[in-house]
Amino acid sequence: MSSKDQFFSHIEKGYTTKGDFITMGAAMLEGEAITGAHVKVPLKTLNRHGLIAGATGTGKTKTLQVLAENLSDQGVPVLLMDLKGDLSGLAQPSPGHPKIDERHEKIGLPFEAKHFPVEILSLSEQDGVKLRATVSEFGPVLLSRILDLSETQEGIVSVVFKYCDDNKLPLLDLKDFKKVLQYATGAGKKEFQEEYGRISTSSTGTILRKIIELEQQGADLFFGEKSFEVDDLTRINDEGRGYINIIRLTDIQDRPKLFSTFMLSLLAEIYATFPEQGDSDKPELILFIDEAHLIFKEASKALLDQIESIVKLIRSKGIGLYFVTQNPTDVPNEVLAQLGLKVQHALRAFTARDRKAIKLTAENYPESEFYDTKEVLTSLGIGEALISALDEKGRPTPLAATLLRAPMSRMDVLTDSELEDVIDSSKLVKKYGEIIDRESAYEILNEKIEKAEVLAEKERKQPTRRRTTSRRSTRQNPVIKVLTSATFIRGVLGVLKKVIR
């Protein structure tokens, strides 16, 4: 048996599945695609998370697009982070190209151009479905993690939430939270001290400064009502295809704090809301986090611990997380160890640091008799990647350098008019378009302070009355007091004695 036949048999055996799957492309040997040697990822293992990595321009976004399309076709909803603005083309079919036909002929897979059901979401003032959450929904622990507070400051945040719960003060946006903090060391200082103990002014000042820092990155647009319901991410259209939800993040690339705040709140909300389902035939929802280093770069140790916990636990809810970044070393080792599917595009060895990163990356993949992994990592072309997945029994599949299939949708952005049509036809835009500003902690405390000030002013202006009584005063005249004192009498008697003598 020739080496090519051995390789074909090796791939076919390693990627055989009984259930539904996604075909990523055809395995390559010595830089040549082996037609029909399909690299398949079982649908039931996609909730085991994954990584798409590679240098700029190697095709990471197109791989993400291929996965999103095939998941949608299988009835699995998807959430994408679009930081560069080039994923909206999923709403339009590919115009096709001779090179695409040539690629698919090598893979041994027919090419079909099609569009997909798309929902455009927004964290900022851009058009789309507005994503919001209330401060109460975050809770004291998560809010403290995001603000990177000390243990003492975290305790104060917990006291603020407890006070609001006890006094039925809704914490909806950041101005509510700031108002309660100011009240705790101002007009309400005595009330707080009696009920919850003394609160340090310096600690509340530090917390306020960190909230203002968060506001400057645009968090005031995110906190508020109407809160986004995560169940709306799992919609299926009339044809049984999952919606591809695209969050437009093109205007917050320089605001990593807001991005990590949103991502952590979203993951926490999904984990708290979705029921346990264990291993099932397909995932409930897949999230692709593009430019994942933005989450980890600005995250504190406490925040990283929170992310690691969620990554470990959310799988049982049928949720898959896929991190998209330039280098696998951008993802902490604790998170990297949880990832089942790895799609590694080419890495460039321009510096000593790059060569070290390539060595570390190669060690993360199974050994193969057909590849020198370090060499393959630097020789892959555009639209080619090393793939290692999990089979239906949770075992790693053979390492395969893969010629990846092309996206079925447009590999470009939508025009302004096309984007407008998608947004205008959305039911969710209408549902979340209205900004609600109902009475909350800010208004209630302002009213309370105002009433207290009016009452104090009335008491101050009220004239004081002089008391009248029929009883005679018992207070003695000071002159009489002196004349009748024993000392004075003894002195007078002494003088009289001298006169008589």
Side-chain angles (χ1 to χ4, degrees):
M1 187 183 287
S2 68
S3 60
K4 190 178 285 189
D5 291 336
Q6 283 181 330
F7 179 73
F8 185 91
S9 177
H10 173 70
I11 294 296
E12 191 176 46
K13 183 181 176 183
Y15 286 93
T16 297
T17 62
K18 293 179 181 178
D20 293 329
F21 57 87
I22 290 174
T23 302
M24 298 296 295
M28 301 166 62
L29 182 64
E30 297 175 358
E32 181 187 346
I34 307 300
T35 306
H38 291 161
V39 176
K40 306 167 187 173
V41 182
L43 216 57
K44 69 176 296 180
T45 65
L46 284 171
N47 67 331
R48 303 293 182 95
H49 314 315
L51 173 74
I52 301 171
T56 301
T58 53
K60 297 189 301 295
T61 303
K62 302 301 174 277
T63 300
L64 185 158
Q65 196 170 339
V66 165
L67 278 167
E69 291 173 346
N70 284 275
L71 284 164
S72 175
D73 265 349
Q74 298 274 10
V76 179
V78 174
L79 178 66
L80 305 177
M81 314 290 152
D82 190 8
L83 276 91
K84 299 188 287 289
D86 50 4
L87 288 171
S88 60
L90 280 155
Q92 291 292 329
S94 167
H97 195 278
K99 286 187 177 180
I100 291 177
D101 297 332
E102 184 184 337
R103 174 179 286 259
H104 274 256
E105 191 177 333
K106 288 179 182 177
I107 294 170
L109 195 68
F111 177 75
E112 181 186 0
K114 59 170 82 170
H115 70 279
F116 295 85
V118 164
E119 196 71 66
I120 304 293
L121 291 73
S122 172
L123 264 177
S124 62
E125 293 178 341
Q126 288 183 321
D127 292 335
V129 179
K130 300 299 180 187
L131 296 173
R132 297 189 191 91
T134 65
V135 173
S136 292
E137 287 168 341
F138 263 62
V141 176
L142 190 54
L143 191 63
S144 299
R145 294 283 189 273
I146 287 158
L147 295 174
D148 193 17
L149 302 181
S150 67
E151 192 175 334
T152 302
Q153 292 157 358
E154 191 172 337
I156 290 172
V157 172
S158 297
V159 167
V160 166
F161 273 79
K162 180 72 169 64
Y163 173 79
C164 292
D165 285 343
D166 293 345
N167 292 274
K168 294 181 173 55
L169 297 175
L171 281 175
L172 303 181
D173 50 29
L174 290 177
K175 78 172 184 229
D176 289 329
F177 189 69
K178 288 194 297 183
K179 189 67 186 179
V180 183
L181 276 174
Q182 291 161 350
Y183 181 75
T185 52
K189 184 176 181 179
K190 187 178 178 184
E191 181 186 352
F192 263 83
Q193 198 160 329
E194 286 174 356
E195 291 291 326
Y196 310 101
R198 183 176 171 274
I199 290 178
S200 164
T201 308
S202 61
S203 291
T204 56
T206 303
I207 298 168
L208 282 167
R209 285 193 294 274
K210 293 198 173 187
I211 291 169
I212 290 166
E213 180 191 342
L214 198 60
E215 281 181 321
Q216 287 174 338
Q217 293 207 14
D220 52 331
L221 293 170
F222 172 63
F223 285 100
E225 291 186 307
K226 183 175 186 182
S227 294
F228 185 80
E229 298 168 15
V230 290
D231 283 340
D232 283 329
L233 294 174
T234 60
R235 293 186 307 142
I236 307 292
N237 74 355
D238 297 336
E239 299 169 358
R241 300 162 82 197
Y243 267 88
I244 298 176
N245 304 282
I246 302 173
I247 306 178
R248 300 174 72 196
L249 300 172
T250 53
D251 58 342
I252 69 164
Q253 290 188 44
D254 57 343
R255 291 178 277 175
K257 197 90 173 179
L258 176 59
F259 181 60
S260 59
T261 298
F262 162 72
M263 275 312 307
L264 196 57
S265 70
L266 180 70
L267 293 175
E269 182 71 14
I270 288 172
Y271 180 72
T273 305
F274 283 40
E276 290 280 341
Q277 69 173 52
D279 289 327
S280 58
D281 291 335
K282 64 180 182 181
E284 190 73 19
L285 176 69
I286 297 290
L287 287 79
F288 290 92
I289 303 170
D290 201 1
E291 303 294 338
H293 65 277
L294 291 178
I295 291 181
F296 302 113
K297 185 180 178 183
E298 295 293 320
S300 63
K301 177 68 170 67
L303 198 56
L304 284 173
D305 290 343
Q306 191 88 7
I307 293 169
E308 186 187 337
S309 297
I310 289 173
V311 170
K312 286 179 179 177
L313 298 171
I314 206 168
R315 179 186 68 80
S316 63
K317 307 278 186 171
I319 310 299
L321 301 177
Y322 286 75
F323 299 97
V324 185
T325 189
Q326 290 194 17
N327 200 308
T329 55
D330 294 335
V331 180
N333 288 330
E334 293 79 6
V335 175
L336 203 60
Q338 304 296 321
L339 309 181
L341 173 64
K342 295 186 180 76
V343 182
Q344 178 64 61
H345 289 266
L347 291 174
R348 306 301 179 213
F350 295 131
T351 65
R353 186 179 176 183
D354 291 339
R355 287 190 288 276
K356 187 177 179 182
I358 288 167
K359 185 180 178 183
L360 288 171
T361 301
E363 290 171 358
N364 286 327
Y365 287 91
E367 290 185 2
S368 172
E369 60 181 292
F370 297 98
Y371 302 118
D372 179 342
T373 309
K374 285 187 288 185
E375 186 181 326
V376 173
L377 278 172
T378 56
S379 62
L380 290 166
I382 296 171
E384 298 172 0
L386 274 175
I387 292 179
S388 174
L390 296 176
D391 66 15
E392 289 170 316
K393 293 183 179 179
R395 301 169 302 194
T397 58
L399 185 62
T402 308
L403 179 66
L404 297 165
R405 64 188 296 176
M408 295 177 276
S409 58
R410 186 193 293 177
M411 291 186 278
D412 201 357
V413 298
L414 296 180
T415 63
D416 290 342
S417 60
E418 288 170 339
L419 188 62
E420 195 176 325
D421 289 341
V422 172
I423 293 169
D424 288 346
S425 63
S426 168
K427 293 178 182 177
L428 295 186
V429 167
K430 298 174 179 69
K431 180 178 178 179
Y432 295 105
E434 182 186 359
I435 297 174
I436 301 170
D437 191 13
R438 62 186 170 97
E439 188 179 62
S440 55
Y442 181 83
E443 289 80 14
I444 294 169
L445 286 179
N446 272 339
E447 189 178 342
K448 187 175 181 178
I449 293 167
E450 200 174 301
K451 283 180 179 177
E453 287 174 350
V454 169
L455 188 64
E457 185 67 18
K458 279 184 180 178
E459 288 179 358
R460 190 178 66 80
K461 288 183 177 179
Q462 196 168 355
T464 55
R465 294 180 181 176
R466 303 183 81 179
R467 288 184 179 180
T468 57
T469 177
S470 58
R471 291 175 63 189
R472 184 176 291 178
S473 175
T474 57
R475 188 177 178 186
Q476 198 173 23
N477 188 301
V479 176
I480 295 171
K481 189 176 180 181
V482 170
L483 292 175
T484 57
S485 69
T487 305
F488 183 77
I489 291 169
R490 279 197 299 272
V492 169
L493 289 174
V495 171
L496 286 174
K497 266 186 184 182
K498 285 181 182 180
V499 170
I500 291 167
R501 284 177 187 171

